[in-house]
Amino acid sequence: QVQLVESGGGLVQPGGSLRLSCAASRVIGSITNMGWYRQAPGKERELVAYIIDSGITKYADSVKGRFTISRDYAKNTVSLQMNSLKPEDTAVYYCNVHLVTRTFETIFYWGQGSQVTVSS
């Protein structure tokens, strides 16, 4: 069972920056995609960004040019650098990984969630 531990959330003023990190442990198999989703109060969970094992990245239109996703393949970590934060970025952010097991099943895992609040 993969364990995901997130860190780095908090309160920041508009225009500020935060960095989220997520570390995966107990990995048996191969992690393919790693990414971040977020869920604001009263809204559905939405994709923020992901990075596949080839290094290709995808971002939600709302964060393009402001957020950068990166990955350390050796350490099984994924980070999200968030710059120029806006109040509408306020949400709980969830790390997500896709694991391909040794029997070629794909299993999705979620982190515990990190609160990001952008407010003056």
Side-chain angles (χ1 to χ4, degrees):
Q1 180 98 2
V2 172
Q3 283 193 332
L4 300 178
V5 177
E6 299 179 22
S7 60
L11 172 65
V12 66
Q13 292 186 340
S17 298
L18 281 175
R19 184 177 181 86
L20 300 177
S21 293
C22 174
S25 60
R26 300 184 180 180
V27 176
I28 300 176
S30 299
I31 291 178
T32 54
N33 296 7
M34 301 186 83
W36 293 92
Y37 287 72
R38 67 186 181 187
Q39 187 166 18
K43 295 189 176 182
E44 293 187 353
R45 191 173 296 189
E46 62 176 2
L47 173 70
V48 177
Y50 69 75
I51 180 168
I52 65 176
D53 51 6
S54 66
I56 293 173
T57 58
K58 179 175 175 64
Y59 296 90
D61 288 343
S62 59
V63 307
K64 281 181 182 176
R66 301 188 296 122
F67 291 11
T68 302
I69 190 169
S70 60
R71 179 172 172 177
D72 185 322
Y73 293 83
K75 296 181 179 179
N76 283 328
T77 59
V78 62
S79 297
L80 185 69
Q81 178 65 42
M82 303 182 291
N83 298 329
S84 302
L85 283 160
K86 304 175 180 179
E88 51 264 42
D89 295 317
T90 295
V92 178
Y93 285 69
Y94 296 92
C95 173
N96 171 263
V97 304
H98 296 188
L99 175 76
V100 177
T101 70
R102 292 176 177 174
T103 56
F104 304 105
E105 292 178 86
T106 298
I107 303 174
F108 302 155
Y109 292 94
W110 293 94
Q112 80 275 18
S114 297
Q115 178 68 48
V116 171
T117 302
V118 185
S119 175
S120 55

